[in-house]
Amino acid sequence: MRLPGLPTTKSSILSRAAKEGWRYEEQYGIGGIRKVFEIPEHYLVLAHGETAGIAAYQNAEHYRVKRTGAENDISGSVNTAKLTAAAQVVEKWDSEEKIGMSPDKKSAIIAIFYKILMDGCETADLSHLLKELSDTLKDK
């Protein structure tokens, strides 16, 4: 990735992620289990400015780091209840408003909403936000 402030080797990235407690999710695939890390916003802003966070979600495949060894640290595990809630809010909105979002756009919004939920927002607040957004767009 060659982002300012980040090391360039895989082992150094893994060390930094463990030291700083980066969030990640485990994905299963060919070759075993991978940790998909959420790159902290401050590294992305240093490199690309304010819109880098959204781009990181849309290009998550590029930020994948393979799991090595037998780490059992669950501190960065995905909160499946909040991820499910984020997905349900977006799916319901897409269906009710007949938006027809592409999977890429939908997953980007789910990822952003998941982060918002992890930061303490409630699911009802997300639903209210989307309703307000829909109403505002209809008024134009």
Side-chain angles (χ1 to χ4, degrees), residues 21-26 36-37 73-79 114:
W22 294 0
R23 290 184 188 163
Y24 68 90
E25 72 176 48
E26 291 182 346
V36 180
F37 288 96
D73 177 22
I74 60 168
S75 63
S77 294
V78 172
N79 182 322
Y114 173 73

Side-chain angles (χ1 to χ4, degrees), residues 3 7 10 18 20 25 35 37 39 48 51 62 66 74 80-81 89 103 108 115-116 118 126-127 131 134 136-137 140:
L3 295 175
K10 180 179 172 178
E20 295 180 1
E25 72 176 48
K35 283 185 181 178
F37 288 96
I39 306 301
H48 303 291
T51 59
H62 299 290
K66 285 186 181 177
I74 60 168
T80 56
V89 166
K115 184 174 181 350
I116 291 170
M118 290 300 290
L126 295 178
S127 295
K131 182 184 180 326
S134 294
T136 301
L137 294 174
K140 290 188 176 189

Side-chain angles (χ1 to χ4, degrees), residues 51-66:
T51 59
I54 294 170
Y57 291 121
Q58 292 173 340
N59 298 309
E61 184 70 27
H62 299 290
Y63 297 100
R64 189 168 282 181
V65 180
K66 285 186 181 177

